Amino acid sequence: MKLIANLLGTSLNLVTVVALAAATVVAALTRHLPDHRTLANWEPAVTTRLYAGDGTMVGELARERRLFLPIGAIPARIRQAFLSAEDKNFYAHPGIDVASIGTALLSNLANYGSGRRMIGGSTITQQIAKNFLLSSDRTVERKLREAILSLRIDQTYSKDRILELYLNDIYLGRGAYGVAQAALTYFDKPVSELSVSEAAFLAALPKAPNNYNPDRQAERAVGRRNWVIDQMRQNGFVDAAAAAQAAAAPLGVDRRTPSPAVAAADYFTEEVRRQLNTQYGEAALYTAGFSVRTTLDPRLQEAAMKALRKGLVAYDQAKGYRGPVARISSIKDWPSALAKLRPLSDVPEWRLGVVLAAGKADAEIGLRPESTASNGITPAETIGLDRKGATWALCRSAKGKHNCAAGIDGVLTPGDVVYVEKQEDGYVLRQPPLVQGALVSMDPNTGRVLAVAGGFSYIQSEFNRATQAYRQPGSSFKPFVYAAALDNGYAPTTLVMDAPIALADGAGRTWKPKNYDGRFSGPSTLRVGLENSRNLMTVRLARHLGMDLVADYGKRFGIYDELEPYLPMSLGAGETTLLRLVSAYAVIANGGKAVTPSMVDRIQDRYGRTIFRHDQRRCDDCNGADWTGQEEPVPVDDRDYVLDPMTAYQVTSMLRGVVERGTARNVGSLGVPIAGKTGTTNDEKDVWFVGFTPNIVTGVFLGYDTPKPMGYGETGGGLAAPIFIDFMKIALQGRPAADFHAPPGMMLEAIDRKSGQPVPEGTPGAIIESFKPGTAPCMSGCAVIDGFETASTSATADPDLSPELREKLLTNGNGLY
């Protein structure tokens, strides 16, 4: 009896010691345990998505690409697949699965010393504890802390909430977090459309996404997927027939391929990203899950890139062939050597290739594969390039001289890496142009930017010449000088002297601006001066108005932040961006109202709440409770006027003359009412054309990134206007024909275009001119504005002017057109 008592006492003491030891261990493990209650406020990092105006997704911004879905929006098929693969007893256990842990322990003991990776038997709740609150260390202490947290989590949250956290947080490869993003990434479809086979594949990935990568480990991926399907069958989620059908299906995994229009939108989306980053900060931009509806028109964006590239390539090829983009030393293993080179992937019609053989009449080109076969073997493809496809390249450009070869072998050598483009009648040799340019198109009535082409290729250069390049606009600034005159009592028929000018610069030198053609025509109307882009008339007009007023108009239209009040600035010697210049022309196009350019229509947060809207027009009755036959409500446009509507119409009429009779006559081939202005700076370093209809305004710029002459005789009308024409052919499709209408009160009279005097309607050389009330054409003996009646007039009479600015000003005005 005493022995039994001793044994009981010893046992009790032992149990007490063990209990105390266990309590001590638990206390130590839980002393600094993370607070599991923070999961209640968890907001996952969600992808910010950019959408075009038509709803097409054009970009994603994220550190973790994730689309959050509440558990009620996740189909049962997806939940069943993941439960079968990861935790079949999820809805039954208290956060840890003792049976699974025992099975894992026995398996690890059996495999001890074999080098196999240990398995943990973790539940979904334990994975939540590890991923959200703990580290991934594979230690006993971490597993014990994980188990304690899992029990607490299971007591605090519902099973559905825990599963929601898991299915939205789990990493599933290819940069995709959560099942919603993975469905788009692997199958380009929402989770609601996934089949049993596709759901099972996603459920196969959490353990080790790289081990089941469908691109590199297709067989292993199929095997793991089929195991998940069989688990779904055993758990009663699918019957045997459905399981067999799913297991027999191919993986069906594909990469999302953007449409050509989306692929052409890199410059646009990057500019939007920069603006959002400035407004909201980087952390919010990449984690807050904004839904950004941009102003992009995909059709016009694609047309913009095509038109700009066509113009840049045409100019560049006319200057001659410069040689290969690279060289391959040995062509024995050319496919692998070529595969290492990075092509211009955003110019998909161009293929990178290597010259394998070259003769006088043709050459053999080995093409870089567009993709690598799943078995790792790179397919080889060769094409023929005949003389017709390389004719433009037979003359090579070196040190400003052309050396022409008799055959293709005179310019191409085996090992040369070149670009080729497939056309209907064969391949054509291409080379990335050195010259760059930009195109911007905008709705002048709303400021919505419809398309932005910032250069030849975003892969080649991310610098956006539409928004980041500050260049001299040259003569494309002149309409704003003339607008200042018309706003201040002048008329389109006002005569200004077109004659030589010589002005001291205040530092011992002389400024002698010239007209582009070197000629002058005496007294001429403002209309003729703008239509023919006469520099001498513009300088005289600016002098007569006062450069302070001209500078004010440059700032008023948003072209410049500040404009120095020197006469050469009237000829576009200041620097601005294409976007700012197009926005200024939009004011003229819409009748004088202020325009705020925008690339974003609306921004919503992850909960669908609108946090930004570009359209700020007031609409008092748009949210009426019911309709009782009243008129349809109209938003109130209460924007300020930057320009008198009558002045805007007069400038528009004169700019139509630029297209009909002046420096941009080729634009008239579009066959619709268009107003516009060319611009060419000194030594042809920059060429421009900005044109508009009542519904769309588009500007084009060309020039080298480091400004240098583009060649004598190159003008905005010859280089930029053809790009404008190519783009507008697409932009005008589907748009109703529209004409410019004079505002109420404007007087229209027939006048002689050159003299500005009234003539009978129908007289040769007569046009219908517009006049404001209180103004009229001069009948006879009209005064001629000279602007230089004062002998002390100086071009840059400022003793503090920097030598650099003085030099720029004094060389301005000798080649503007």
Side-chain angles (χ1 to χ4, degrees):
M1 198 67 177
K2 186 176 180 180
L3 178 61
I4 294 174
N6 289 336
L7 288 175
L8 288 173
T10 302
S11 299
L12 182 61
N13 289 334
L14 182 61
V15 169
T16 302
V17 170
V18 171
L20 289 173
T24 302
V25 170
V26 170
L29 291 172
T30 59
R31 184 173 299 120
H32 300 295
L33 209 59
D35 187 355
H36 64 285
R37 291 170 295 184
T38 59
L39 294 178
N41 300 318
W42 178 68
E43 284 195 343
V46 179
T47 303
T48 289
R49 285 176 165 78
L50 310 182
Y51 298 92
D54 65 356
T56 303
M57 191 172 73
V58 295
E60 294 180 308
L61 305 172
R63 294 197 182 102
E64 296 180 357
R65 293 173 55 237
R66 176 185 287 107
L67 179 62
F68 181 84
L69 282 181
I71 191 65
I74 300 176
R77 179 174 293 166
I78 303 295
R79 288 177 273 165
Q80 292 164 357
F82 277 84
L83 292 176
S84 297
E86 296 294 317
D87 190 357
K88 66 180 181 180
N89 297 321
F90 172 74
Y91 279 96
H93 62 62
I96 58 174
D97 190 339
V98 177
S100 294
I101 293 175
T103 301
L105 180 62
L106 293 175
S107 177
N108 291 333
L109 289 174
N111 294 328
Y112 182 77
S114 66
R116 295 182 182 179
R117 180 185 176 91
M118 290 192 298
I119 61 175
S122 295
T123 64
I124 284 177
T125 314
Q126 287 176 275
Q127 293 183 56
I128 289 293
K130 180 185 70 173
N131 294 341
F132 284 81
L133 303 172
L134 298 171
S135 69
S136 297
D137 299 336
R138 299 184 67 82
T139 63
V140 173
E141 180 183 348
R142 198 271 296 163
K143 290 295 292 183
L144 290 173
R145 287 162 61 86
E146 175 187 293
I148 295 169
L149 273 174
S150 298
L151 292 170
R152 292 181 176 181
I153 290 171
D154 197 85
Q155 292 172 356
T156 306
Y157 302 102
S158 69
K159 289 290 187 178
D160 282 350
R161 173 57 176 167
I162 296 170
L163 187 59
E164 179 184 80
L165 293 175
Y166 176 77
L167 293 177
N168 281 286
D169 176 71
I170 193 70
Y171 179 65
L172 296 171
R174 282 191 179 178
Y177 289 80
V179 294
Q181 181 66 55
L184 294 172
T185 300
Y186 287 101
F187 302 107
D188 196 16
K189 61 175 69 172
V191 290
S192 59
E193 297 180 9
L194 294 184
S195 65
V196 171
S197 172
E198 292 164 342
F201 171 75
L202 296 186
L205 295 172
K207 290 294 184 185
N210 289 334
N211 291 346
Y212 306 111
N213 186 310
D215 299 320
R216 298 189 299 270
Q217 305 284 352
E219 290 186 7
R220 294 182 67 179
V222 170
R224 175 70 177 175
R225 180 205 64 179
N226 290 350
W227 176 84
V228 174
I229 293 171
D230 188 59
Q231 292 296 305
M232 294 178 71
R233 179 192 61 78
Q234 292 184 34
N235 293 330
F237 295 136
V238 294
D239 58 30
Q245 183 180 6
L251 281 178
V253 172
D254 197 6
R255 290 193 179 274
R256 302 172 68 185
T257 55
S259 67
V262 172
D266 287 335
Y267 283 111
F268 189 103
T269 55
E270 172 58 17
E271 181 61 26
V272 171
R273 186 203 66 80
R274 279 196 292 265
Q275 294 178 11
L276 295 175
N277 188 63
T278 300
Q279 185 172 0
Y280 297 104
E282 185 173 335
L285 179 60
Y286 288 92
T287 63
F290 295 142
S291 175
V292 183
R293 178 62 66 94
T294 74
T295 60
L296 180 73
D297 184 318
R299 183 176 67 92
L300 297 191
Q301 181 63 38
E302 184 179 7
M305 289 303 302
K306 285 185 176 180
L308 180 62
R309 284 171 179 160
K310 178 183 175 182
L312 295 176
V313 168
Y315 170 83
D316 186 73
Q317 289 187 174
K319 299 298 179 182
Y321 180 62
R322 293 187 302 275
V325 297
R327 287 275 306 166
I328 290 177
S329 57
S330 174
I331 60 174
K332 290 183 179 180
D333 188 22
W334 65 264
S336 58
L338 200 56
K340 296 176 182 178
L341 300 180
R342 186 188 186 196
L344 299 177
S345 56
D346 58 345
V347 191
E349 60 269 25
W350 286 21
R351 295 284 301 276
L352 200 62
V354 60
V355 179
L356 302 177
K360 289 189 177 298
D362 54 27
E364 183 184 10
I365 309 289
L367 297 181
R368 184 184 187 276
E370 294 180 309
S371 60
T372 302
S374 59
N375 59 9
I377 300 174
T378 303
E381 180 184 359
T382 61
I383 56 99
L385 177 70
D386 60 24
R387 185 184 178 92
K388 182 180 178 182
T391 298
W392 70 268
L394 295 183
C395 292
R396 299 191 62 162
S397 179
K399 297 181 179 179
K401 296 182 179 180
H402 283 346
N403 299 313
C404 297
I408 294 179
D409 54 357
V411 292
L412 296 182
T413 304
D416 286 353
V417 177
V418 297
Y419 281 101
V420 293
E421 179 182 2
K422 187 176 183 179
Q423 297 186 337
E424 291 182 359
D425 55 350
Y427 281 86
V428 176
L429 184 67
R430 295 299 189 202
Q431 67 180 3
L434 294 180
V435 70
Q436 285 289 354
L439 184 152
V440 169
S441 190
M442 177 188 297
D443 182 335
N445 300 300
T446 62
R448 298 178 70 250
V449 179
L450 306 174
V452 172
F456 177 77
S457 162
Y458 186 80
I459 297 296
Q460 181 191 53
S461 169
E462 296 181 9
F463 183 67
N464 191 332
R465 293 142 193 98
T467 61
Q468 295 177 297
Y470 279 80
R471 308 291 288 247
Q472 294 183 5
S475 293
S476 58
F477 177 67
K478 289 176 181 174
F480 305 97
V481 180
Y482 284 76
L486 295 169
D487 250 359
N488 286 274
Y490 296 74
T493 54
T494 300
L495 296 176
V496 178
M497 181 60 70
D498 184 14
I501 300 170
L503 297 173
D505 75 331
R509 297 174 62 184
T510 302
W511 181 53
K512 296 180 179 181
K514 301 176 182 178
N515 290 326
Y516 188 79
D517 58 9
R519 299 180 293 179
F520 49 90
S521 46
S524 303
T525 62
L526 289 187
R527 172 177 286 279
V528 169
L530 188 56
E531 287 181 357
N532 295 331
S533 199
R534 310 303 281 178
N535 297 331
L536 298 173
M537 289 179 64
T538 304
V539 172
R540 278 187 166 84
L541 183 62
R543 174 66 180 84
H544 202 260
L545 291 168
M547 273 305 298
D548 286 336
L549 180 63
V550 173
D552 177 67
Y553 269 68
K555 293 165 58 179
R556 180 188 300 186
F557 280 86
I559 302 171
Y560 306 108
D561 293 325
E562 294 291 336
L563 183 65
E564 299 291 346
Y566 305 122
L567 281 174
M569 293 296 188
S570 67
L571 299 179
E575 293 179 341
T576 189
T577 68
L578 178 60
L579 178 60
R580 297 182 75 162
L581 189 62
V582 169
S583 300
Y585 272 80
V587 173
I588 301 173
N590 72 28
K593 287 188 176 181
V595 170
T596 301
S598 178
M599 295 184 183
V600 175
D601 277 335
R602 184 183 65 195
I603 302 175
Q604 294 171 285
D605 64 15
R606 68 170 71 198
Y607 304 107
R609 297 175 300 208
T610 296
I611 59 176
F612 170 83
R613 188 190 303 275
H614 170 63
D615 190 347
Q616 296 298 317
R617 290 177 298 173
R618 189 181 76 256
C619 187
D620 297 329
D621 300 321
C622 284
N623 294 321
D626 52 27
W627 181 73
T628 57
Q630 68 268 31
E631 292 291 328
E632 181 177 340
V634 178
V636 178
D637 188 352
D638 53 4
R639 290 176 294 170
D640 294 332
Y641 278 92
V642 175
L643 190 65
D644 183 334
M646 290 188 175
T647 300
Y649 181 78
Q650 288 177 313
V651 175
T652 297
S653 177
M654 294 162 70
L655 292 177
R656 288 188 66 177
V658 173
V659 172
E660 293 168 2
R661 295 172 294 274
T663 58
R665 288 185 293 275
N666 53 344
V667 175
S669 63
L670 289 169
V672 298
I674 289 182
K677 184 67 183 76
T678 56
T680 306
T681 63
N682 288 309
D683 300 323
E684 298 85 18
K685 292 180 181 178
D686 306 274
V687 297
W688 307 72
F689 181 78
V690 185
F692 58 88
T693 71
N695 299 318
I696 187 168
V697 54
T698 301
V700 178
F701 154 78
L702 271 76
Y704 290 97
D705 283 344
T706 301
K708 67 178 183 177
M710 297 181 67
Y712 178 75
E714 303 289 10
T715 65
L719 292 180
I723 297 173
F724 174 89
I725 293 169
D726 285 342
F727 171 77
M728 290 296 286
K729 287 178 181 177
I730 303 299
L732 293 173
Q733 292 176 6
R735 291 178 180 269
D739 203 350
F740 301 97
H741 298 290
M746 184 73 73
M747 298 182 298
L748 304 176
E749 291 192 37
I751 58 103
D752 179 79
R753 172 176 164 270
K754 294 184 178 179
S755 69
Q757 296 188 13
V759 295
E761 193 169 341
T763 302
I767 63 169
I768 301 300
E769 192 58 271
S770 54
F771 296 92
K772 297 178 182 179
T775 65
C778 175
M779 301 300 291
S780 63
C782 305
V784 179
I785 293 175
D786 187 294
F788 292 92
E789 298 86 354
T790 306
S792 62
T793 299
S794 173
T796 59
D798 184 347
D800 297 324
L801 200 63
S802 69
E804 295 79 8
L805 180 55
R806 188 183 301 277
E807 181 66 28
K808 182 173 73 172
L809 293 173
L810 289 176
T811 56
N812 189 63
N814 299 322
L816 302 176
Y817 192 50

